[in-house]
Amino acid sequence: MTAQATPRKPAIPKQALAAKAFHWVNLVALFAMMGSGLQIYNANPVFGGRAGYHFPDFLLLGGWLAGGRHWHFFFMWVFGLNLLWYGLYVFFTRRWKNRYAGKNDLEALQKSTNPRRRNYAVHRLVYTAFIPVLLLALLTGLGMWKPVQFGWIVAMFGGWQALRTVHFLTIPTVLGLMAVHSLLALNVGQWKLVRSMFT
């Protein structure tokens, strides 16, 4: 009588340290900028003027307008530099070939009957969508930070109010992409895939 082999637990996927560091720093910077950005928002709401909706204190960072601005500008640099070095890392390691959407992903969504392949294609499309949204947040933020020096950015969006509105709307867009990105990762690799990025 032969003893049954003990089933082995699925291995946790290994992630590159640089990719982990990017995710850690990006999460901290994004949430710090969101909290400090809402602190700035409350001083002069984008929608409805000073009488418009104000976010509750537990979502804010900075304590007051100047404090919010200091936190926001500090993490703007952290966020921007983090994007820059990760962009260089992705380019020189050719990681972009396996992480970002391509023509084959669009074809898979149209023709493939394999649910895993379609899920993978959607995941890569969402991952790719982060790039223009994060760059848009950075561009509009620069225009708001130095509207005189970067007047061309303000003009590109048709004025100050439109610039503020677009910058503000990048927040729910990023949160939505993060939620979809996490759900797709759970669907493809379960919790072990998500955990692998942070352990």
Side-chain angles (χ1 to χ4, degrees), residues 24-156:
W24 297 336
V25 174
N26 219 35
L27 274 177
V28 172
L30 281 172
F31 280 106
M33 285 196 300
M34 286 178 189
S36 56
L38 293 179
Q39 181 76 65
I40 298 168
Y41 175 101
N42 275 5
N44 184 19
V46 174
F47 307 107
R50 295 189 185 279
Y53 176 77
H54 287 70
F55 288 91
D57 289 345
F58 72 89
L59 292 176
L60 311 181
L61 175 64
W64 60 310
L65 175 58
R69 286 171 59 87
H70 288 321
W71 280 105
H72 204 68
F73 295 147
F74 171 76
F75 278 102
M76 176 190 74
W77 285 108
V78 174
F79 171 69
L81 292 174
N82 192 46
L83 277 183
L84 176 62
W85 82 256
Y86 189 68
L88 293 173
Y89 166 75
V90 166
F91 178 77
F92 286 112
T93 59
R94 305 176 73 84
R95 187 181 174 90
W96 53 271
K97 285 190 171 183
N98 301 318
R99 291 294 184 272
Y100 298 102
K103 184 181 178 182
N104 57 336
D105 294 302
L106 297 176
E107 291 176 349
L109 289 175
Q110 294 173 341
K111 302 175 182 178
S112 177
T113 57
N114 184 336
R116 285 184 67 87
R117 178 65 185 91
R118 290 173 63 86
N119 195 315
Y120 184 60
V122 173
H123 201 164
R124 299 217 310 182
L125 285 169
V126 171
Y127 198 74
T128 304
F130 272 107
I131 300 173
V133 175
L134 294 179
L135 290 177
L136 181 63
L138 194 59
L139 179 69
T140 52
L142 284 173
M144 293 174 63
W145 177 43
K146 297 288 186 180
V148 176
Q149 292 87 340
F150 297 108
W152 59 273
I153 298 178
V154 180
M156 182 191 304

Side-chain angles (χ1 to χ4, degrees), residues 169-190:
L169 291 177
T170 59
I171 295 176
T173 304
V174 167
L175 288 175
L177 287 173
M178 287 171 63
V180 175
H181 177 52
S182 300
L183 289 172
L184 288 170
L186 285 171
N187 193 28
V188 171
Q190 301 179 347

